[in-house]
Amino acid sequence: MEKLLADNDNGDALKVNVKDIIIGGNKKVIISGPCAIESYDSLFNIAKELKKMNVDILRGGAFKPRTSPYSFQGLQEEGLKIIRAVGDEVNIPVITEIMDTRDIEKAMQYTDMIQIGSRNMYNYSLLKEVGRTKMPVLLKRGMSATIKEWIYAAEYIMAEGNLNVVLCERGIRTFETYTRNTLDLNAVTVVKQKYRLPIIVDPSHGTGFRELVPKMSLAAICAGADGLEIESHINPEKAISDARQTISMDTLEKIIHDVKKFNMYFS
Amino acid sequence: MEKLLADNDNGDALKVNVKDIIIGGNKKVIISGPCAIESYDSLFNIAKELKKMNVDILRGGAFKPRTSPYSFQGLQEEGLKIIRAVGDEVNIPVITEIMDTRDIEKAMQYTDMIQIGSRNMYNYSLLKEVGRTKMPVLLKRGMSATIKEWIYAAEYIMAEGNLNVVLCERGIRTFETYTRNTLDLNAVTVVKQKYRLPIIVDPSHGTGFRELVPKMSLAAICAGADGLEIESHINPEKAISDARQTISMDTLEKIIHDVKKFNMYFS
Amino acid sequence: MEKLLADNDNGDALKVNVKDIIIGGNKKVIISGPCAIESYDSLFNIAKELKKMNVDILRGGAFKPRTSPYSFQGLQEEGLKIIRAVGDEVNIPVITEIMDTRDIEKAMQYTDMIQIGSRNMYNYSLLKEVGRTKMPVLLKRGMSATIKEWIYAAEYIMAEGNLNVVLCERGIRTFETYTRNTLDLNAVTVVKQKYRLPIIVDPSHGTGFRELVPKMSLAAICAGADGLEIESHINPEKAISDARQTISMDTLEKIIHDVKKFNMYFS
Amino acid sequence: MEKLLADNDNGDALKVNVKDIIIGGNKKVIISGPCAIESYDSLFNIAKELKKMNVDILRGGAFKPRTSPYSFQGLQEEGLKIIRAVGDEVNIPVITEIMDTRDIEKAMQYTDMIQIGSRNMYNYSLLKEVGRTKMPVLLKRGMSATIKEWIYAAEYIMAEGNLNVVLCERGIRTFETYTRNTLDLNAVTVVKQKYRLPIIVDPSHGTGFRELVPKMSLAAICAGADGLEIESHINPEKAISDARQTISMDTLEKIIHDVKKFNMYFS
């Protein structure tokens, strides 16, 4: 079988449609929302705010991969139903993470884009299974994956026939302990220059601290990212998970404004 | 829910039985065999040799998690049948890797111990699912997992009721490029001192080169490991995968001899 | 003795003057030139071009810290004389690296700013010795130094009385092999938010490939950097060292233009 | 100039004499003593104990490279005088770290072996300068140095004519935070197989915790190390620096006993 993603393959850059949103086109795409879906009301209130500022896609985790089995694991299928209902009510496409091959069929009913998290980048069974659907997939980089391994992970999906893959750089693990991860923006430029896939950046996990998110968001766009996935909440300090890296609605609005301004002058 | 594995919990050290083999007892356990199951005959010939030198458990991969989707992915279910048949014929317990929650039931028919590979250490769905069986599980350390995350991964299995967990250190990813991974023997001593779980070492992946395997095998035992998992083959240079780190039967025999001698004088 | 650089110490941001150039002020500072000083003519020709495009400081290495003792070690004192002469002729301040405490006095005659390279960030004797001068110092981050260790290295200089310290992020060592180093722009934002020191970025070493330099230059400015140090050459492919990461005059001009434009709209 | 240390160069293994102690021969060499020289009496009392158990070389730091300039920096020249006097009184060779090219002449009066610390492995001026003496040198691996860079650092010394170089593995920097460093025993086996230089291991810095030192000491010997450098103190909890990783005299005695026993059965 022939490779779809060979270095400098001269194929056209791929674009991925999530309903009427295009990832990989001229407009930088903003995906935002809480780390975990907490309740219908909470997600609905966040989604309304996001919609007002033209966020493109609503994120929210139903299945949460937590380091400890005793931490909150997400609302599971109940969470999937909530994000679908909120997305429909507010009229915004939704994305949520799937971790188990057995949940993919269910996910197809409830979400518009499937997220494969950092911990599952090497979960080849899962990659192949989403490759057999036509669902848009957001493929996060493994926390210590090389760029090459990450591209091959995308290739696992594409080799099954699903070309709707968007990469997401979310920071890698290094010796530095000041930040949660080291955001690798070199990787964004490498991917844009060498491969045909759209790529976005998650500055929330990529830094671990909300005060670093605005600067790193803009830096990511400079590096050539096609968009951003940012954890936001109406009440960031009260977020059930990842509170320390979750930004407020006001901060998000400022970031969106800056990204738009940047795109106006630099593309 | 209460933690099973708290630091210094003063609980008794756990032992794991794989048929009549005890992992975590006085005897150091040797697991060996080829990286991938290649054919019945090839595996049978290897197994006979291993049995002669009292190797405790036969390893062989049916589902191979390969970086590229275009590399050999293993014989899949056919491989499971082969390893079961060879194990029965030669009278040696067998271990093989499972990567998908949907394959666990099948695996229970065909293997005596389930291996969770490095790439799936964070695959919490898989961990929970093997936690619901009583199967012995060999849990490899993620390639950039901290000791704490690894213990929590074991906890995911144990929290579901399955205490038959053995850890396996297999090297971590660092900047060093001379070796495939950096074998972290500190981690072995930490686990033995702080936690109740048995732990073995895989010097094949931990080094990536067959000429380093004998020394690192003995060093691992010195560090306190309860055993070793080593890739071996009758014709190492011809092994379908991981040839560079696979040792011959003669080298394995020498390692087993040294481990036994070490144990005699130092325990 | 009291710390000068305590976290969030509310002291004023420091500015460093190199002749009439101010680092840490509103204008982003550009430092450029070849990796190694090759000859008077070569450096003079480069410097003239740099001066035309308003580069602020000319860089060029006389003492080259090379991994192998058999690689070109720089023109040594002869190189110092060349860069001083060229700087005077073209009327541009100059910076060069010093590696030995015994060379500092000499350096004070020949250079306007001393560079402490990545390999010498932990060379505390050297730090103390430049701390006893009033020379402006560009302190590169050690290739695996934490932010905290780097700040302490600056503190070694400042504790001796020399507050003219500028930090330079140049990439850290990780498992990624695609790029030479992983440029850590998180660190730039952290430093700007928590400490009083100016900080610039070296995208040449931070990536290792000239085609990544323009994007990473702009991303660094976005992240809050006070300037850039970029390896450039009239004939990049022919540069004696670091050719692969050295950019042409045209590329540099484009970067300077973009930085200026960015600063106009975003500060 | 020709390389002295080329891969598999078939030259004879080098041995290094420190007075009448041979490093790289059949006997495993033990270097021990406190991290920092604290006073004549304290060092003398430790040295007497070490001598009783046949420790080969006494270590003690006079110039201490500390992360913070406000931490204890060692007794400096006063420390050199103390270790010389104690060594003479107790009749044991001594080793101490030198960090500045200007101190080498002084060091030649006061010490029998010069230690180049991890932070100075890339300090090529220092390496060249000790290369111009005939002093035995213990060259620690840089905290994120590749094996290749480390060998080249040795080559810097040897290229100047001093072949009395002993390498010391002391742990590398990784993402793991449980231990201070990750002791890389793979590197020991690689060096023994590929190069002609003697190599010892420092399990104190390589782990950061005294309870890990005995196991890692023996594992290092298994991996092929020619000896050990271990921080010890009569009153480890009271040691001025590195207390957490410093072992007692009793623990050291047990390690020496085990190393001897290992060597008896395995060499």
Side-chain angles (χ1 to χ4, degrees):
Chain A
M1 187 191 270
E2 157 186 314
K3 282 212 223 171
L4 302 170
L5 290 170
D7 286 24
N8 298 314
D9 60 3
N10 296 320
D12 290 334
L14 294 165
K15 290 176 187 170
V16 174
N17 284 59
V18 183
K19 287 188 155 173
D20 56 345
I21 303 298
I22 300 164
I23 309 181
N26 292 327
K27 190 182 171 302
K28 303 302 180 183
V29 168
I30 308 293
I31 302 173
S32 196
C35 176
I37 298 164
E38 299 170 1
S39 70
Y40 179 89
D41 288 351
S42 158
L43 190 65
F44 177 73
N45 289 332
I46 292 168
K48 270 193 312 185
E49 293 299 314
L50 298 178
K51 183 71 183 178
K52 271 191 236 166
M53 40 178 124
N54 295 313
V55 165
D56 299 290
I57 300 175
L58 172 67
R59 64 150 285 152
F63 300 99
K64 297 302 306 169
R66 305 298 296 276
T67 299
S68 164
Y70 309 119
S71 299
F72 174 59
Q73 305 276 312
L75 296 178
Q76 314 280 319
E77 190 167 352
E78 179 60 20
L80 292 183
K81 288 177 182 165
I82 289 173
I83 198 168
R84 179 70 279 153
V86 168
D88 288 346
E89 182 66 27
V90 178
N91 189 27
I92 186 171
V94 300
I95 181 172
T96 200
E97 178 169 352
I98 297 299
M99 299 162 35
D100 192 321
T101 47
R102 297 170 302 186
D103 291 327
I104 289 173
E105 236 182 280
K106 212 178 299 169
M108 292 173 68
Q109 292 175 252
Y110 292 122
T111 186
D112 302 307
M113 188 175 202
I114 287 176
Q115 180 165 309
I116 305 288
S118 187
R119 290 173 174 84
N120 283 296
M121 193 209 82
Y122 299 112
N123 184 341
Y124 300 133
S125 299
L126 186 63
L127 298 178
K128 285 180 186 173
E129 202 64 33
V130 299
R132 290 176 198 125
T133 73
K134 294 291 176 205
M135 290 288 286
V137 182
L138 185 65
L139 178 63
K140 294 203 149 188
R141 182 180 185 181
M143 59 185 81
S144 71
T146 61
I147 294 171
K148 202 174 160 189
E149 290 173 336
W150 189 20
I151 295 296
Y152 269 129
E155 192 90 7
Y156 262 99
I157 298 170
M158 299 170 85
E160 299 291 330
N162 183 357
L163 301 190
N164 298 309
V165 180
V166 177
L167 300 176
C168 180
E169 160 64 29
R170 47 74 74 199
I172 57 173
R173 189 161 273 190
T174 69
F175 58 82
E176 179 60 68
T177 52
Y178 212 112
T179 47
R180 182 173 176 181
N181 290 293
T182 297
L183 191 64
D184 180 9
L185 294 181
N186 280 353
V188 175
T189 302
V190 168
V191 167
K192 290 302 289 182
Q193 289 182 357
K194 299 271 180 186
Y195 300 101
R196 301 161 57 196
L197 293 166
I199 179 168
I200 69 169
V201 169
D202 168 358
S204 308
H205 289 86
T207 62
F209 295 95
R210 75 170 67 96
E211 53 272 43
L212 301 177
V213 170
K215 290 281 186 197
M216 285 305 112
S217 293
L218 198 52
I221 296 297
C222 281
D226 295 302
L228 300 166
E229 183 179 45
I230 306 177
E231 290 183 346
S232 66
H233 200 283
I234 284 180
N235 211 333
E237 311 264 353
K238 296 282 175 57
I240 287 185
S241 76
D242 283 350
R244 194 64 193 79
Q245 72 194 34
T246 297
I247 63 172
S248 68
M249 294 295 130
D250 284 356
T251 305
L252 181 62
E253 190 160 26
K254 176 82 172 56
I255 290 170
I256 292 172
H257 174 261
D258 278 354
V259 168
K260 211 177 291 176
K261 199 166 116 187
F262 181 88
N263 219 27
M264 194 182 315
Y265 294 116
F266 285 91
S267 65
Chain B
M1 189 190 269
E2 158 185 315
K3 283 212 223 172
L4 302 171
L5 290 171
D7 286 23
N8 297 315
D9 60 3
N10 297 319
D12 290 335
L14 293 165
K15 290 176 186 171
V16 173
N17 284 60
V18 183
K19 287 187 156 175
D20 56 344
I21 304 298
I22 300 165
I23 309 180
N26 292 329
K27 189 181 172 303
K28 303 301 181 185
V29 169
I30 308 293
I31 302 174
S32 196
C35 176
I37 298 164
E38 299 169 3
S39 70
Y40 180 89
D41 288 350
S42 158
L43 190 64
F44 177 73
N45 289 332
I46 293 168
K48 269 194 311 185
E49 293 299 313
L50 298 178
K51 182 72 184 178
K52 272 192 235 164
M53 41 178 123
N54 295 313
V55 164
D56 299 290
I57 301 174
L58 172 67
R59 66 150 285 150
F63 300 100
K64 297 302 307 169
R66 305 298 296 275
T67 299
S68 163
Y70 309 118
S71 300
F72 174 58
Q73 306 277 310
L75 296 179
Q76 312 282 317
E77 189 166 353
E78 180 60 21
L80 293 183
K81 287 175 184 166
I82 289 174
I83 198 168
R84 177 72 281 153
V86 168
D88 288 346
E89 183 66 28
V90 178
N91 188 27
I92 186 170
V94 300
I95 180 172
T96 200
E97 178 170 353
I98 296 300
M99 297 161 37
D100 192 320
T101 47
R102 297 169 302 187
D103 290 327
I104 290 173
E105 235 181 280
K106 211 178 300 171
M108 292 173 69
Q109 293 174 252
Y110 293 121
T111 187
D112 302 307
M113 187 175 202
I114 288 176
Q115 179 164 313
I116 305 289
S118 188
R119 289 174 174 83
N120 283 298
M121 193 209 82
Y122 299 112
N123 184 342
Y124 300 133
S125 299
L126 187 63
L127 299 178
K128 285 180 186 172
E129 202 64 32
V130 299
R132 289 177 198 123
T133 74
K134 294 292 176 203
M135 291 288 285
V137 182
L138 185 65
L139 178 63
K140 294 204 149 188
R141 183 180 184 181
M143 60 185 79
S144 72
T146 62
I147 296 172
K148 202 176 161 190
E149 290 172 336
W150 189 19
I151 295 295
Y152 269 129
E155 191 89 8
Y156 260 100
I157 298 170
M158 299 170 86
E160 298 292 328
N162 184 356
L163 300 191
N164 299 309
V165 180
V166 177
L167 300 176
C168 180
E169 161 64 28
R170 46 75 74 202
I172 57 172
R173 189 161 274 191
T174 69
F175 58 83
E176 180 60 67
T177 52
Y178 213 112
T179 46
R180 181 174 177 182
N181 290 293
T182 297
L183 191 64
D184 180 9
L185 295 181
N186 281 353
V188 176
T189 302
V190 167
V191 166
K192 291 302 290 182
Q193 290 183 356
K194 299 271 182 185
Y195 300 101
R196 300 162 57 195
L197 292 167
I199 179 168
I200 69 169
V201 168
D202 168 357
S204 308
H205 288 86
T207 62
F209 294 95
R210 73 170 68 96
E211 53 272 42
L212 302 177
V213 170
K215 290 282 187 196
M216 286 303 114
S217 293
L218 198 52
I221 296 297
C222 281
D226 295 303
L228 299 167
E229 183 179 45
I230 305 177
E231 290 183 345
S232 65
H233 199 284
I234 284 181
N235 211 333
E237 311 264 353
K238 296 281 174 58
I240 287 186
S241 77
D242 283 352
R244 194 64 192 78
Q245 72 194 32
T246 297
I247 63 171
S248 68
M249 293 295 130
D250 285 355
T251 306
L252 182 62
E253 190 159 26
K254 174 83 172 58
I255 290 170
I256 292 172
H257 174 261
D258 278 355
V259 168
K260 212 177 288 177
K261 197 167 118 187
F262 181 88
N263 220 26
M264 195 183 314
Y265 294 116
F266 285 91
S267 65
Chain C
M1 188 190 270
E2 157 187 314
K3 281 212 223 171
L4 302 171
L5 288 170
D7 285 22
N8 298 313
D9 60 3
N10 296 319
D12 290 335
L14 295 164
K15 289 177 187 171
V16 173
N17 283 61
V18 183
K19 288 188 155 175
D20 57 344
I21 304 297
I22 300 165
I23 309 181
N26 291 327
K27 190 181 172 303
K28 304 301 180 184
V29 168
I30 308 293
I31 302 172
S32 197
C35 176
I37 298 164
E38 299 169 2
S39 70
Y40 180 89
D41 287 350
S42 158
L43 190 65
F44 176 74
N45 289 331
I46 293 169
K48 270 193 311 184
E49 294 299 313
L50 297 179
K51 182 72 183 177
K52 272 192 234 164
M53 39 177 127
N54 295 312
V55 164
D56 300 290
I57 300 174
L58 172 68
R59 66 150 285 150
F63 300 101
K64 297 302 306 170
R66 305 297 297 275
T67 299
S68 163
Y70 309 119
S71 300
F72 174 59
Q73 306 276 311
L75 297 178
Q76 313 281 319
E77 190 166 354
E78 178 61 18
L80 293 182
K81 287 175 184 165
I82 290 174
I83 198 169
R84 177 73 279 152
V86 168
D88 288 346
E89 181 68 25
V90 178
N91 189 26
I92 185 170
V94 301
I95 180 171
T96 199
E97 178 169 352
I98 297 299
M99 297 162 36
D100 193 320
T101 47
R102 299 170 300 186
D103 291 328
I104 290 174
E105 237 181 279
K106 210 178 302 168
M108 291 173 68
Q109 293 175 252
Y110 293 121
T111 186
D112 302 307
M113 187 175 203
I114 287 177
Q115 180 165 310
I116 306 288
S118 188
R119 290 173 174 84
N120 283 298
M121 193 208 83
Y122 299 112
N123 183 342
Y124 299 133
S125 298
L126 187 61
L127 299 178
K128 284 180 186 171
E129 202 63 33
V130 298
R132 289 177 197 123
T133 73
K134 294 291 176 205
M135 290 288 285
V137 182
L138 185 65
L139 178 62
K140 293 206 151 187
R141 183 181 185 179
M143 60 185 78
S144 72
T146 62
I147 296 171
K148 202 174 161 190
E149 290 172 336
W150 189 21
I151 295 296
Y152 270 128
E155 191 90 7
Y156 262 99
I157 299 170
M158 299 171 86
E160 300 292 329
N162 183 355
L163 301 191
N164 298 309
V165 179
V166 177
L167 300 176
C168 180
E169 160 64 28
R170 46 75 75 203
I172 57 173
R173 189 161 273 190
T174 69
F175 58 83
E176 179 61 66
T177 52
Y178 212 113
T179 45
R180 181 174 176 182
N181 290 292
T182 297
L183 191 64
D184 180 10
L185 295 182
N186 281 353
V188 175
T189 302
V190 167
V191 167
K192 291 301 290 182
Q193 290 182 356
K194 299 272 181 186
Y195 301 101
R196 300 161 56 195
L197 292 166
I199 179 168
I200 70 168
V201 168
D202 168 359
S204 308
H205 289 86
T207 62
F209 294 95
R210 74 170 67 96
E211 53 273 42
L212 302 177
V213 170
K215 290 282 186 196
M216 286 303 113
S217 294
L218 198 53
I221 297 296
C222 280
D226 294 303
L228 299 166
E229 183 179 46
I230 305 178
E231 290 184 345
S232 65
H233 200 283
I234 283 181
N235 211 334
E237 312 264 352
K238 296 280 174 58
I240 286 186
S241 77
D242 284 351
R244 194 62 192 80
Q245 71 194 33
T246 297
I247 64 171
S248 67
M249 294 295 131
D250 285 354
T251 305
L252 182 61
E253 189 160 27
K254 175 82 172 58
I255 290 170
I256 292 172
H257 174 262
D258 278 354
V259 168
K260 211 177 289 175
K261 198 167 116 187
F262 181 88
N263 220 27
M264 194 184 314
Y265 294 116
F266 284 91
S267 65
Chain D
M1 187 189 270
E2 156 186 316
K3 282 212 225 171
L4 303 170
L5 289 170
D7 286 23
N8 297 314
D9 59 3
N10 296 319
D12 290 335
L14 294 165
K15 289 176 188 173
V16 174
N17 283 60
V18 182
K19 288 187 154 175
D20 56 344
I21 303 298
I22 300 164
I23 308 182
N26 291 329
K27 190 182 172 302
K28 303 300 180 184
V29 168
I30 307 294
I31 302 174
S32 197
C35 177
I37 298 164
E38 299 169 3
S39 70
Y40 180 89
D41 288 350
S42 157
L43 190 65
F44 176 73
N45 290 331
I46 292 169
K48 271 193 311 184
E49 293 299 314
L50 297 178
K51 183 71 182 176
K52 271 192 236 164
M53 41 179 125
N54 295 314
V55 164
D56 299 290
I57 300 174
L58 172 68
R59 65 150 285 150
F63 299 100
K64 297 302 306 169
R66 305 298 297 275
T67 299
S68 164
Y70 310 118
S71 300
F72 174 60
Q73 305 276 311
L75 297 178
Q76 312 281 320
E77 190 168 351
E78 177 61 21
L80 292 183
K81 289 176 183 165
I82 289 173
I83 198 168
R84 177 72 281 153
V86 168
D88 289 345
E89 181 67 28
V90 178
N91 189 26
I92 186 170
V94 301
I95 180 173
T96 199
E97 179 169 352
I98 296 299
M99 298 161 35
D100 192 320
T101 47
R102 298 170 300 187
D103 291 327
I104 289 173
E105 236 182 279
K106 210 179 299 169
M108 291 173 68
Q109 294 174 251
Y110 293 122
T111 186
D112 302 306
M113 186 175 203
I114 287 177
Q115 180 165 310
I116 305 288
S118 187
R119 289 174 176 83
N120 283 297
M121 193 209 81
Y122 298 112
N123 184 342
Y124 300 133
S125 299
L126 187 62
L127 299 177
K128 285 179 186 172
E129 202 64 34
V130 299
R132 289 175 198 125
T133 74
K134 293 290 176 207
M135 290 288 286
V137 182
L138 185 65
L139 177 62
K140 293 204 150 188
R141 182 181 186 180
M143 60 186 79
S144 72
T146 62
I147 294 171
K148 203 174 160 191
E149 289 172 336
W150 190 18
I151 295 296
Y152 270 129
E155 192 89 8
Y156 262 100
I157 298 169
M158 298 171 85
E160 299 291 330
N162 184 355
L163 301 190
N164 298 309
V165 180
V166 178
L167 300 176
C168 180
E169 160 65 28
R170 46 75 74 201
I172 57 173
R173 190 162 273 188
T174 69
F175 58 83
E176 179 61 67
T177 53
Y178 213 113
T179 46
R180 182 173 176 181
N181 290 293
T182 296
L183 190 64
D184 180 9
L185 295 181
N186 281 352
V188 175
T189 302
V190 168
V191 167
K192 290 302 289 181
Q193 290 183 356
K194 299 271 180 186
Y195 301 102
R196 301 162 55 195
L197 292 166
I199 179 168
I200 69 168
V201 169
D202 167 358
S204 308
H205 288 86
T207 62
F209 294 95
R210 75 170 66 96
E211 53 273 41
L212 302 178
V213 169
K215 291 281 186 196
M216 285 305 111
S217 293
L218 197 53
I221 296 297
C222 282
D226 294 303
L228 299 167
E229 182 179 45
I230 306 178
E231 291 183 346
S232 65
H233 200 284
I234 284 180
N235 211 333
E237 311 264 352
K238 296 281 174 57
I240 286 185
S241 77
D242 283 350
R244 193 63 191 80
Q245 72 194 31
T246 298
I247 62 171
S248 68
M249 294 295 132
D250 285 354
T251 304
L252 182 61
E253 190 160 26
K254 174 83 172 56
I255 290 170
I256 292 172
H257 174 262
D258 278 354
V259 168
K260 211 177 290 177
K261 199 168 115 187
F262 182 87
N263 220 26
M264 193 183 317
Y265 293 116
F266 285 90
S267 65

